[in-house]
Amino acid sequence: MEQDKEFNPKIVAFLCNWCTYTGADLAGVSRLKSSPCVRIIRVMCSGRVDPTFIIKAFKQGADGVFIGGCHIGDCHYSEGNYKTLRRVEFMKTFLEEFGINPKRLRLEWISASEGDKYAATTLEFETEIRELGPLHLVEA
Amino acid sequence: MKPKLALYWASSCGGCEIAVVDIELKILDVAGFFDIVFWPCIMDFKYKDVEAMQDGDITLCLFNGAIRTSENEHLAKLLRAKSKVLVAFGSCAKEGCIPGLANFYDKKTILDYVYNDSPSLEAESKGVYPEMRTNMPEGEIEIPEFWNTVKTLDQVVDVDYYVPGCPPQSFQIINVIEAVIDILKNGKPLPPKGTILGAGDKTCCDECPRERKEKKIKKFYRPQEIIPDPKECLLDQGIMCMGPATRSGCDALCVKANSGCRGCYGPPPNVMDQGTKMVSALSSVIDSTDPNEVKEIIKTIADPLGTFYRFSLASSLMKRVQQKNGEDKNRKF
Ligand code: SF4
Ligand code: SF4
Ligand code: SF4
Ligand code: FES
């Protein structure tokens, strides 16, 4: 239990510039409490998140990876988030087979006006990661 | 004095050795130009012959096979020290290949299966495990230690060049040998360290003669479920083909024979991880926007991890499947 208290999950969040990043900004401006464990990486579109980034994040110490994009139909590059959806489904299968709980990867559609959703989902994700505990990858 | 050549097989199937012999009469040029100082598969050499050499004595060493045991690692280090130029030859040495698939498991799981659980074991031999050291009337005998994780050659020693392929294609081996002879004979400069020799710098798709349309995949087929159209892109037909995530160089060997590329030339240039590259490629062509349907389509791929990393698991970003982690699902055979 003592250890659990000390565990500060590292969450890497890839947020699309047009929707979720702006949503995160709004959460801050509106003084909503969002997860302090999140390290945001801004990308132009959630479709820019190469599946390699996800594995790299875990390899370099992330306990969870969060991807935020525009709602389906709203992607500024029209189809980027469809690609993201399929990639994330694939990567969940991959993670499970690699022996990593697929719950450590989360995809959310959060628009620029949904600061409250950003705040709520990051907090919820943080709680889930806390329950899963730290991801200690076995070095090869 | 002739330049000295060494060839070695570590954790290998022997196919790379056959591929070298498969260059037919060119092998005579090799034997004529080089002094072959170590090639245990073909001629009788002992490790002590290599140990007796000076550092850097061997001009060129073609090393095939992955690093799986203490013996493999010892030879990798020994040949590194004795060779001026060390080449990771073939997929096993370059990226782990089929032996590297053992990284789906760990040492204990593998040994337990082979020496205890396998249904083909006779009752009296169940549970008889190999011991590293055994005392015999003639003295103590020793066998190499089996590592927990299969490694590539460059994860163990410094490697100068790479030749991809499982095995490298004969015409490419000839290209490499001719280039080496040319360099040594005419005092030409060596290519930059780390260069991939005997391969292209595009993807397998770029060499493939098949017709491509806009891909829209609703289902992946196992080979026995479909008769492929001989002209159309296999992936377009829903047949798994690693072409988009594989380096060119084999002249599209398998796809020309109506069989999907399995990815043996490894990841294409500037790609860190062949498996995630394939995920990316397939995510662009799966024809669905409904998460549940996407899941169902992905389920029609037999063993995605084993398929996408068939040759490169040991050199992928993850390198192995997690075993000791608390949340493991403890893979079983
Ligand atoms: S690369 Fe292929 S042919 Fe060569 S040793 Fe490995 S498994 Fe055999
Ligand atoms: S996916 Fe396969 S069949 Fe299609 S073009 Fe690429 S290599 Fe050829
Ligand atoms: S088509 Fe693919 S699997 Fe076949 S030889 Fe070429 S790279 Fe290897
Ligand atoms: S621009 Fe936001 S997901 Fe594509």
Side-chain angles (χ1 to χ4, degrees), chain B residues 79-287:
Chain B
L79 285 165
R80 170 66 280 182
K82 306 294 177 189
S83 308
K84 281 199 189 75
V85 174
L86 177 68
V87 177
F89 187 88
S91 176
C92 284
K94 179 176 173 284
E95 58 225 348
C97 195
I98 307 298
L101 288 175
N103 289 358
F104 272 116
Y105 311 99
D106 58 11
K107 174 176 173 174
K108 186 174 180 303
T109 319
I110 293 170
L111 294 187
D112 281 349
Y113 185 79
V114 173
Y115 295 104
N116 198 46
D117 307 336
S118 165
S120 61
L121 282 175
E122 305 220 2
E124 62 272 22
S125 50
K126 271 192 196 291
V128 181
Y129 285 78
E131 305 246 350
M132 262 192 77
R133 285 186 185 77
T134 314
N135 278 313
M136 302 297 284
E138 298 81 4
E140 192 184 68
I141 53 169
E142 199 186 317
I143 56 166
E145 189 172 356
F146 188 87
W147 292 152
N148 192 49
T149 297
V150 173
K151 294 191 173 179
T152 64
L153 183 60
D154 70 0
Q155 287 166 3
V156 173
V157 295
D158 195 37
V159 167
D160 297 305
Y161 303 109
Y162 301 84
V163 179
C166 174
Q169 291 305 298
S170 308
F171 74 94
Q172 290 287 17
I173 301 179
I174 294 175
N175 289 344
V176 171
I177 285 175
E178 283 179 345
V180 170
I181 294 184
D182 185 39
I183 287 168
L184 293 172
K185 237 191 201 156
N186 304 315
K188 290 199 178 153
L190 286 165
K193 193 174 160 157
T195 301
I196 298 197
L197 308 170
D201 54 9
K202 294 203 168 79
T203 67
C204 184
C205 290
D206 289 290
E207 288 187 318
C208 174
R210 288 175 177 267
E211 273 167 43
R212 267 152 281 187
K213 292 193 242 116
E214 206 200 332
K215 294 185 179 36
K216 286 196 177 313
I217 302 174
K218 280 270 184 215
K219 172 180 164 45
F220 289 93
Y221 295 90
R222 308 292 303 271
Q224 73 274 17
E225 293 173 331
I226 188 172
I227 296 180
D229 178 282
K231 293 220 173 69
E232 227 186 280
C233 162
L234 294 165
L235 207 49
D236 282 355
Q237 302 176 57
I239 299 165
M240 188 50 70
C241 179
M242 288 285 291
T246 303
R247 184 181 280 271
S248 60
C250 69
D251 200 23
L253 191 70
C254 304
V255 273
K256 283 184 181 164
N258 244 356
S259 164
C261 167
R262 303 187 315 148
C264 83
Y265 264 64
N270 305 319
V271 170
M272 220 179 252
D273 191 290
Q274 199 174 14
T276 49
K277 169 75 186 170
M278 195 60 192
V279 166
S280 219
L282 290 183
S283 298
S284 310
V285 298
I286 286 181
D287 185 20

